[in-house]
Amino acid sequence: MRPRRLSRIVEMVGGAGHVTVAEVCAALEVSPATARRDLDALAEQRLVRRTYGGASALVPLGGGSPPGGRAEGESGARLARRATALVPPGSTVGLGGGAVTVAVARALAVADGVVVGAGGGLTVVTDALDVAYELAARPHVHVVVTGGSVRPRSLRLVGPAAVAAVREVVLDVAILGVDGVHPRFGTTTADADEAQVGRALAAAAHRVVVVAGGGAHGVTGPQRLLPLDEVDVLVTDAAPAGPLAEALAASGVEVLLA
């Protein structure tokens, strides 16, 4: 049955982080054409990210958010804590959606030294309902939600209303999760509408912080988000190497390891 087969593929991708068409064929005893159709169907449902010759996990440690926006274990928590340390006390922060930005919200919720500054509490502007949920009950955090149309799976708010709302604010720092960081294509993500809001958050910010684990290095999602020269800081858990390291240095991106 196809539903059982699709579920099995999701388990394979979740366990290994990536699966090839050949591996699907071997494990499920299907033809390459069937395997490719199954991977395409899962990608359309945003359960995996389609890659050349296979598929990978939709969230390579800190990119786009699955339902509930769960961070990837202790690695995701470390990335979140490192990013939180970059938030000035009492500042205005833009938080995009995604697994690690939800983790950043959780870290901000308990980081009283960051949240409360001389001018009062922290203001968080977000296009992600799960991010807003994590911070809404904090008395010293003022949460501004952009508005717009809700993406059911990612809980992101998109569309002209979301972009227009972001354009009205000035942010001290914007923190964005991404699906890929590539030397040529810059930072990338999975959804064009979500990317548009992410670009608006970056344009509104004095400082742009991108959070992406080592699994995102050299990876490209289907939609461009920001070129490297529009990123101020990359927070990651593995030192970039080769062409990516060279491109980051040439673009003036500060790399901080969690």
Side-chain angles (χ1 to χ4, degrees), residues 5 9 21-36 38:
R5 199 169 67 234
I9 295 172
V21 170
E23 288 168 341
V24 173
C25 293
L28 303 181
E29 298 182 347
V30 296
S31 69
T34 297
R36 284 190 288 269
D38 286 351

Side-chain angles (χ1 to χ4, degrees), residues 45-46 65-69 129-130 149-158 191 194:
Q45 297 174 51
R46 299 199 66 202
S65 176
L129 296 180
D130 45 4
S149 301
V150 180
R151 281 279 195 267
R153 291 201 57 80
S154 67
L155 300 180
R156 300 284 295 276
L157 295 162
V158 298
D191 185 276
E194 293 174 8

Side-chain angles (χ1 to χ4, degrees), residues 186-205:
T187 62
T188 58
T189 188
D191 185 276
D193 292 331
E194 293 174 8
Q196 188 175 30
V197 182
R199 284 191 290 271
L201 285 168

Side-chain angles (χ1 to χ4, degrees), residues 95-97 102 126-136 143 145-152 154-157:
L95 284 182
V102 171
T126 184
D127 64 326
L129 296 180
D130 45 4
V131 167
Y133 175 82
E134 295 291 339
L135 293 168
V143 180
V145 180
T146 61
S149 301
V150 180
R151 281 279 195 267
S154 67
L155 300 180
R156 300 284 295 276
L157 295 162

Side-chain angles (χ1 to χ4, degrees), residues 232-251:
D232 296 298
V233 182
L234 170 66
V235 176
T236 186
D237 58 1
L244 179 58
E246 295 171 4
L248 290 166
S251 299

